[in-house]
Amino acid sequence: MSVTIKQIAEKAGVSRGTVDRVINNRGHVKPEIEERIQKIAVELGYRPNAAGKALAARKKSFIIGVILCARGNEFFDDILKGIKGAEQEASEFGIQVQVMTMKGYQVEEQLRLMDQLEEQIHFLILNPINDERIARKINDLSEKNIPVITVNTDIEGSQRLCYVGCDYLKSGRTACGILGIATDGKGQVGIAAGSVKILGHNQRIRGFFETQKNRFPDLRILDIIETEDDKETGYAQTLAMLKRHPSMDAVYIAAAAADGVCRAVADWQRQNMESPHPVKIVGSDLTPAITKLLKEEKILGTICQQPWTQGYQSVTLAVHYLVNGQKPDRQYFYMKNEIKIPENL
Amino acid sequence: MSVTIKQIAEKAGVSRGTVDRVINNRGHVKPEIEERIQKIAVELGYRPNAAGKALAARKKSFIIGVILCARGNEFFDDILKGIKGAEQEASEFGIQVQVMTMKGYQVEEQLRLMDQLEEQIHFLILNPINDERIARKINDLSEKNIPVITVNTDIEGSQRLCYVGCDYLKSGRTACGILGIATDGKGQVGIAAGSVKILGHNQRIRGFFETQKNRFPDLRILDIIETEDDKETGYAQTLAMLKRHPSMDAVYIAAAAADGVCRAVADWQRQNMESPHPVKIVGSDLTPAITKLLKEEKILGTICQQPWTQGYQSVTLAVHYLVNGQKPDRQYFYMKNEIKIPENL
DNA sequence: TTGTAGGCGTTATCAA
DNA sequence: TTGATAACGCCTACAA
């Protein structure tokens, strides 16, 4: 049976209160007694009981705030589900979760939401826009004792506790690995990014190049376009790219707008009567749209990033911080890059 | 803030004890009062607090027994780690976990271990040998109020509460999907199973055939051998198979003994000077041996089955049963079939 | 059939 | 600086 504070107190000949003060570094304990208690705790292998903590924590009633650029972006649905899942657990600690979503990536809007939440919350989970003003606001909150965790996208130059999300570099490498396998290392590849300015897409492309260089030297990357995460732009840009490079036989979609890209490929194949050949496509994430394309075998596979876990884990880390006062033990909580094909959906 | 038994008691004008009796169906409550309390509980959306339950459960001190055919099989290391992870959680409920491992698959040995544990435990997690005597023993234990969960392998004709483990059919389908992609749907495939008598390997092969038929009609399955999960047998059988079918250009390893198979392929490629061609290999699971083969690019990829989660989840389900008296809500807890290539290790 | 009281481990408050 | 006490939500033995 595991060791309790009570047992330590008995063994040390002090009250439970004193042991609690020592264990949680609350001060107000005579140094020699502190030392004795520490020693006994280690000796007995004391591990705090989470259930006890949970019960005691209910008297405090903290609130965790969440801001996501999720409106009109179905990719975030799974992140939201993960947050909902953790909310149940948080409520056992008397902790509430307040989620706000915004549409698009306006810095002003995000700053406004942060200001608004500031009064009510004790912790912030943020899907940040990579802008200096946001970074400053994060630091501002941190100083006011509202720690921040970034989720899904990270931001440079801020004091966020940690980042929970995709390892975009690895995601790009994995995509290249799959296209390398599919084309016997000889693919003529085009890349469709959302915007090369978006940090994540940029890193995916870097990762793709890295693996191309190291492992598939005969694979060629012919072109990179930007879809602006928009179907129609994606369609037009992809079609133009295919016309520029008639030998292209593979496409990596490092962003949303997979529908547009796939439609362009299909149309081009229909038009390009003189030298028809298949174009192998690898996508990113697993939205309903992508699932459909997978099942219809319009794309070969897709590289996913555990969105549910991103939501769940960020809340769990916040709960752990609020209940135990413990910071996350590392800066980066990277998700797995899961490869999905029709067979293992 | 979430609803507690106390709040329900106040609203219903009865004591907490009575509410507890109703909520947990302990009987000894006047029907009309029972009904009233039920109604209020639903109305208020009562959800029991796990922390409170955990604390109260500590007074009972249950023991969960685990039997695994894990000795000398490094695949089970991750399952054991998952069990260790859940043990921590279980100990907060005052529940202990007692693990026994055995080498090989002797029915007698497993029966002996089951007999031995029977006296001490309140729940059994079993990696069963698919034999009728084991099934009978499972039913025997169930009647003695020791429920059983099967892990990693299932058994027919028993009353185990549920199965936690790999969806072998899907695993085989996924392997075929990858080899289909890698060979442009035109591979000449050999399959290396451990033994076609092992249920899991058999299902993997069935899954592989299924996808071949439905999605890759031009892919041909030339031969199936049995490695008996032994390196040397695997080597010899594979070499013989390659000699029988010189056109073979892909191998699916549905079992352990990947080293032997890969060595045979390498040797054969060295010998077969007249018509050299690459042989693409897909494996199963992610043991240290397989990881090495992946990194050396001797195999293309491998299909994994979340062994850690198998261990963790089986214990969690047992804990949940013992603490809440609730049976798992389904018969099958299937793991994801994760595709691993060097880039997303 | 129903209510009361004490305890599970931890923490906060108040008194000494 | 330290100790005593009550509370968090749930369960159970015992009393009424």
Side-chain angles (χ1 to χ4, degrees):
Chain A
M1 190 62 104
S2 42
V3 187
T4 69
I5 282 187
K6 195 176 155 193
Q7 287 167 30
I8 298 177
E10 276 164 18
K11 187 146 186 179
V14 298
S15 75
R16 290 172 294 158
T18 305
V19 177
D20 175 64
R21 264 159 255 166
V22 173
I23 300 275
N24 297 90
N25 298 310
R26 296 187 215 282
H28 306 282
V29 179
K30 216 194 284 178
E32 56 209 77
I33 297 196
E34 163 141 21
E35 203 184 333
R36 183 151 50 98
I37 293 178
Q38 284 287 15
K39 209 177 129 223
I40 295 178
V42 171
E43 212 172 287
L44 264 46
Y46 171 75
R47 315 254 313 136
N49 178 297
K53 272 183 186 287
L55 229 39
R58 286 185 64 105
K59 292 186 252 186
K60 297 195 224 167
S61 86
F62 289 121
I63 299 180
I64 298 171
V66 181
I67 300 175
L68 300 176
C69 307
R71 202 103 44 86
N73 185 347
E74 60 183 3
F75 165 75
F76 276 91
D77 290 355
D78 283 335
I79 295 190
L80 283 164
K81 278 183 204 155
I83 291 171
K84 270 272 166 295
E87 223 178 305
Q88 162 68 11
E89 204 170 306
S91 82
E92 314 221 316
F93 294 83
I95 296 176
Q96 284 175 280
V97 180
Q98 183 160 355
V99 180
M100 320 226 80
T101 60
M102 49 184 284
K103 192 175 166 66
Y105 302 89
Q106 290 99 28
V107 176
E108 304 298 343
E109 168 76 352
Q110 186 157 85
L111 286 171
R112 204 179 56 70
L113 287 176
M114 290 173 83
D115 282 333
Q116 192 184 324
L117 278 180
E118 181 174 344
E119 308 302 321
Q120 320 160 30
I121 63 176
H122 306 88
F123 200 105
L124 177 62
I125 294 171
L126 178 68
N127 173 221
I129 301 167
N130 192 14
D131 184 281
E132 209 188 316
R133 281 169 295 169
I134 301 287
R136 275 203 299 273
K137 183 71 192 169
I138 290 176
N139 295 344
D140 182 34
L141 289 176
S142 300
E143 271 160 37
K144 288 177 181 157
N145 213 14
I146 303 180
V148 179
I149 284 182
T150 53
V151 63
N152 190 256
T153 351
D154 204 6
I155 182 169
E156 294 154 335
S158 84
Q159 291 157 19
R160 88 278 182 281
L161 279 186
C162 66
Y163 164 67
V164 178
C166 182
D167 183 343
Y168 290 98
L169 209 57
K170 210 164 170 179
S171 172
R173 287 191 202 123
T174 305
C176 185
I178 290 293
L179 275 184
I181 287 173
T183 63
D184 227 349
K186 298 193 264 291
Q188 308 280 304
V189 185
I191 298 180
S195 158
V196 291
K197 274 180 255 156
I198 295 175
L199 200 62
H201 295 181
N202 207 304
Q203 288 179 310
R204 278 186 176 144
I205 294 172
R206 263 182 41 217
F208 196 96
F209 269 89
E210 217 180 281
T211 294
Q212 179 276 326
K213 196 177 154 199
N214 295 338
R215 197 170 157 215
F216 301 106
D218 295 338
L219 190 122
R220 286 190 55 211
I221 297 160
L222 303 179
D223 207 344
I224 300 177
I225 54 152
E226 302 181 50
T227 67
E228 290 162 20
D229 281 346
D230 173 76
K231 270 188 204 181
E232 295 314 319
T233 316
Y235 175 84
Q237 292 290 321
T238 305
L239 203 56
M241 174 169 75
L242 289 162
K243 282 180 180 159
R244 280 198 296 278
H245 309 277
S247 67
M248 188 171 284
D249 60 5
V251 173
Y252 168 40
I253 311 175
D259 314 49
V261 174
C262 289
R263 195 152 46 82
V265 168
D267 283 359
W268 181 77
Q269 283 178 319
R270 217 168 298 129
Q271 286 163 29
N272 184 34
M273 297 310 247
E274 65 236 60
S275 75
H277 60 260
V279 175
K280 292 170 174 173
I281 307 176
V282 163
S284 300
D285 304 324
L286 196 60
T287 57
I290 302 258
T291 306
K292 185 159 174 284
L293 291 167
L294 256 186
K295 284 187 181 158
E296 292 168 349
E297 298 183 33
K298 294 200 173 136
I299 66 179
L300 227 51
T302 187
I303 316 299
C304 313
Q305 51 167 309
Q306 305 199 109
W308 192 94
T309 306
Q310 291 184 30
Y312 184 84
Q313 178 147 247
S314 52
V315 174
T316 303
L317 285 166
V319 168
H320 199 258
Y321 179 92
L322 291 171
V323 174
N324 305 311
Q326 263 175 15
K327 292 186 185 177
D329 59 350
R330 46 205 156 100
Q331 290 255 324
Y332 294 94
F333 288 81
Y334 284 133
M335 301 295 107
K336 288 186 194 169
N337 285 108
E338 298 184 325
I339 301 168
K340 291 289 179 188
I341 61 176
E343 282 74 24
N344 73 336
L345 272 181
Chain B
M1 191 61 104
S2 43
V3 188
T4 69
I5 283 188
K6 196 176 154 193
Q7 288 167 28
I8 297 177
E10 277 165 16
K11 187 145 185 179
V14 299
S15 76
R16 289 171 294 157
T18 305
V19 177
D20 175 65
R21 265 159 255 168
V22 173
I23 300 275
N24 297 91
N25 299 311
R26 297 187 214 284
H28 305 281
V29 179
K30 213 193 285 177
E32 56 209 78
I33 297 196
E34 162 140 23
E35 202 184 334
R36 182 149 51 98
I37 293 178
Q38 283 287 15
K39 209 177 130 221
I40 295 178
V42 171
E43 211 171 285
L44 263 45
Y46 172 75
R47 315 256 311 137
N49 179 297
K53 273 182 184 287
L55 233 36
R58 286 186 64 106
K59 293 187 248 183
K60 299 194 219 166
S61 86
F62 289 121
I63 299 180
I64 298 171
V66 181
I67 300 175
L68 300 176
C69 307
R71 203 102 44 87
N73 185 347
E74 59 183 4
F75 165 75
F76 276 90
D77 290 355
D78 283 334
I79 295 189
L80 284 164
K81 278 183 204 157
I83 291 171
K84 271 271 165 296
E87 223 177 306
Q88 162 69 12
E89 205 170 304
S91 81
E92 313 223 315
F93 294 83
I95 296 176
Q96 285 174 280
V97 180
Q98 183 160 354
V99 180
M100 321 225 80
T101 60
M102 49 185 283
K103 191 174 166 68
Y105 302 88
Q106 289 99 29
V107 176
E108 304 298 343
E109 169 77 352
Q110 186 157 83
L111 285 171
R112 204 179 56 70
L113 288 176
M114 289 172 85
D115 281 334
Q116 193 184 321
L117 277 180
E118 181 173 345
E119 307 302 321
Q120 320 159 31
I121 63 176
H122 306 89
F123 200 105
L124 178 62
I125 293 171
L126 179 67
N127 173 220
I129 301 166
N130 192 13
D131 185 281
E132 209 188 317
R133 281 169 293 170
I134 301 287
R136 275 203 298 273
K137 183 72 192 167
I138 290 177
N139 295 344
D140 181 34
L141 289 175
S142 301
E143 271 159 36
K144 287 177 182 157
N145 212 15
I146 303 179
V148 180
I149 284 183
T150 53
V151 63
N152 192 255
T153 351
D154 205 5
I155 182 169
E156 292 155 337
S158 84
Q159 290 155 21
R160 88 276 183 285
L161 280 186
C162 66
Y163 164 68
V164 178
C166 184
D167 183 342
Y168 290 98
L169 209 57
K170 211 164 169 178
S171 171
R173 287 192 203 126
T174 305
C176 184
I178 291 293
L179 275 184
I181 288 173
T183 63
D184 228 349
K186 298 192 262 293
Q188 308 281 305
V189 185
I191 298 180
S195 159
V196 291
K197 273 179 257 159
I198 295 176
L199 200 61
H201 296 181
N202 208 304
Q203 289 180 309
R204 277 186 177 144
I205 294 171
R206 262 182 41 217
F208 196 96
F209 269 90
E210 214 178 283
T211 296
Q212 180 276 325
K213 196 176 153 202
N214 295 339
R215 197 171 156 216
F216 301 107
D218 296 338
L219 190 124
R220 286 192 54 211
I221 297 160
L222 303 179
D223 207 342
I224 301 177
I225 55 153
E226 302 182 47
T227 67
E228 290 162 21
D229 281 346
D230 173 77
K231 270 187 204 182
E232 296 315 320
T233 316
Y235 177 83
Q237 290 292 321
T238 306
L239 204 54
M241 173 169 75
L242 289 163
K243 282 180 180 158
R244 279 198 297 277
H245 310 277
S247 67
M248 188 172 285
D249 60 5
V251 173
Y252 168 40
I253 311 174
D259 315 51
V261 174
C262 289
R263 197 153 43 82
V265 168
D267 284 358
W268 180 78
Q269 283 178 319
R270 218 169 296 129
Q271 287 165 28
N272 183 35
M273 297 310 245
E274 63 233 63
S275 77
H277 60 262
V279 175
K280 291 171 175 171
I281 307 176
V282 163
S284 300
D285 304 325
L286 196 61
T287 57
I290 303 257
T291 306
K292 185 157 173 286
L293 291 167
L294 254 187
K295 285 187 181 159
E296 293 168 348
E297 297 181 33
K298 293 198 174 139
I299 66 178
L300 226 53
T302 186
I303 316 298
C304 312
Q305 50 167 308
Q306 305 199 108
W308 191 92
T309 306
Q310 291 184 29
Y312 184 84
Q313 180 149 244
S314 52
V315 174
T316 304
L317 285 166
V319 167
H320 200 257
Y321 178 92
L322 290 172
V323 174
N324 306 311
Q326 263 174 16
K327 292 187 184 177
D329 58 350
R330 48 206 156 99
Q331 289 255 325
Y332 295 93
F333 289 81
Y334 284 133
M335 300 297 107
K336 288 186 195 170
N337 285 108
E338 297 184 325
I339 301 168
K340 290 289 179 189
I341 61 175
E343 282 75 24
N344 74 336
L345 273 181

Short mmCIF file of all heavy atoms in Angstrom, two decimals, chain B residues 37-46:
data_model
loop_
_atom_site.label_atom_id
_atom_site.label_comp_id
_atom_site.label_asym_id
_atom_site.label_seq_id
_atom_site.Cartn_x
_atom_site.Cartn_y
_atom_site.Cartn_z
N ILE B 37 -35.53 10.23 -6.43
CA ILE B 37 -34.09 10.53 -6.44
C ILE B 37 -33.49 10.34 -7.84
O ILE B 37 -32.72 11.18 -8.31
CB ILE B 37 -33.35 9.63 -5.41
CG1 ILE B 37 -33.80 10.03 -4.00
CG2 ILE B 37 -31.86 9.77 -5.55
CD1 ILE B 37 -33.20 9.20 -2.91
N GLN B 38 -33.88 9.25 -8.49
CA GLN B 38 -33.41 9.01 -9.86
C GLN B 38 -33.69 10.21 -10.73
O GLN B 38 -32.85 10.69 -11.49
CB GLN B 38 -34.12 7.79 -10.47
CG GLN B 38 -33.62 6.43 -9.98
CD GLN B 38 -32.25 6.08 -10.54
OE1 GLN B 38 -31.55 6.92 -11.07
NE2 GLN B 38 -31.86 4.82 -10.38
N LYS B 39 -34.92 10.69 -10.60
CA LYS B 39 -35.34 11.80 -11.44
C LYS B 39 -34.49 13.05 -11.20
O LYS B 39 -34.01 13.70 -12.13
CB LYS B 39 -36.83 12.11 -11.17
CG LYS B 39 -37.54 12.69 -12.39
CD LYS B 39 -39.01 12.93 -12.12
CE LYS B 39 -39.41 14.33 -12.53
NZ LYS B 39 -40.33 14.99 -11.56
N ILE B 40 -34.29 13.33 -9.92
CA ILE B 40 -33.49 14.51 -9.59
C ILE B 40 -32.06 14.38 -10.10
O ILE B 40 -31.48 15.32 -10.63
CB ILE B 40 -33.50 14.74 -8.05
CG1 ILE B 40 -34.91 15.08 -7.59
CG2 ILE B 40 -32.53 15.86 -7.69
CD1 ILE B 40 -35.04 15.28 -6.11
N ALA B 41 -31.52 13.16 -9.97
CA ALA B 41 -30.15 12.92 -10.42
C ALA B 41 -30.01 13.22 -11.91
O ALA B 41 -29.08 13.89 -12.35
CB ALA B 41 -29.74 11.49 -10.12
N VAL B 42 -30.96 12.71 -12.68
CA VAL B 42 -30.93 12.94 -14.13
C VAL B 42 -31.09 14.43 -14.43
O VAL B 42 -30.36 15.02 -15.22
CB VAL B 42 -32.05 12.14 -14.83
CG1 VAL B 42 -32.16 12.53 -16.28
CG2 VAL B 42 -31.80 10.65 -14.67
N GLU B 43 -32.06 15.01 -13.75
CA GLU B 43 -32.37 16.43 -13.92
C GLU B 43 -31.14 17.30 -13.72
O GLU B 43 -30.84 18.20 -14.51
CB GLU B 43 -33.41 16.80 -12.86
CG GLU B 43 -34.39 17.87 -13.25
CD GLU B 43 -35.46 17.93 -12.16
OE1 GLU B 43 -36.32 17.01 -12.14
OE2 GLU B 43 -35.42 18.84 -11.31
N LEU B 44 -30.43 17.02 -12.64
CA LEU B 44 -29.25 17.83 -12.31
C LEU B 44 -28.02 17.39 -13.10
O LEU B 44 -26.98 18.04 -13.03
CB LEU B 44 -28.96 17.71 -10.81
CG LEU B 44 -29.50 18.81 -9.89
CD1 LEU B 44 -30.94 19.12 -10.25
CD2 LEU B 44 -29.40 18.37 -8.44
N GLY B 45 -28.14 16.30 -13.84
CA GLY B 45 -27.00 15.80 -14.61
C GLY B 45 -25.88 15.30 -13.72
O GLY B 45 -24.71 15.64 -13.90
N TYR B 46 -26.26 14.48 -12.76
CA TYR B 46 -25.24 13.98 -11.83
C TYR B 46 -24.22 13.08 -12.52
O TYR B 46 -24.58 12.19 -13.28
CB TYR B 46 -25.90 13.19 -10.69
CG TYR B 46 -24.90 12.49 -9.81
CD1 TYR B 46 -24.14 13.19 -8.90
CD2 TYR B 46 -24.70 11.11 -9.93
CE1 TYR B 46 -23.20 12.55 -8.11
CE2 TYR B 46 -23.76 10.46 -9.14
CZ TYR B 46 -23.02 11.19 -8.24
OH TYR B 46 -22.09 10.54 -7.46
#
